[in-house]
Amino acid sequence: MKSCILLLFLGIVLLHTVSAATNTLQYFYTATSGIDNFPEFVTMGIVNGHQIDHYDSITKRAIQKAEWISGAVDPDYWKTNTQIYAGTETVFVNNINVAKSRFNQTG
């Protein structure tokens, strides 16, 4: 009987010490116009405040920024994300051009 109560007590203590971790995944997109030697489009992925990847309109490819990410994604991840970011770049650059024309701006 004592061992059964002890096991029950340990089970309750272990139950209260286990908790799920909360993680955050964020993507930041930036489009600019008319800045010399600076990409027109930049995006980066951030997990729990640490940068995991980077893409810009000069390099035109997704680049790994965290060592651990290579073990967490499939081999096509970088190729797929490069294609996604390139499509997003087109949309953002077009939006900048539309905004410039609507606000009568040249640069």
Side-chain angles (χ1 to χ4, degrees), residues 5-75:
I5 293 172
L6 181 61
L7 286 174
L8 180 61
F9 178 73
L10 285 175
I12 291 170
V13 171
L14 290 176
L15 248 179
H16 289 290
T17 59
V18 176
S19 64
T22 301
N23 297 298
T24 59
L25 171 63
Q26 300 171 307
Y27 285 93
F28 292 93
Y29 298 90
T30 305
T32 61
S33 174
I35 301 175
D36 293 336
N37 301 319
F38 193 79
E40 282 187 314
F41 178 78
V42 176
T43 185
M44 67 176 69
I46 298 178
V47 172
N48 296 335
H50 301 282
Q51 186 178 359
I52 59 167
D53 69 357
H54 172 91
Y55 172 94
D56 64 55
S57 57
I58 295 173
T59 61
K60 299 226 181 260
R61 63 186 194 119
I63 299 170
Q64 176 181 335
K65 291 291 187 175
E67 299 253 347
W68 63 267
I69 192 82
S70 60
V73 297
D74 64 48

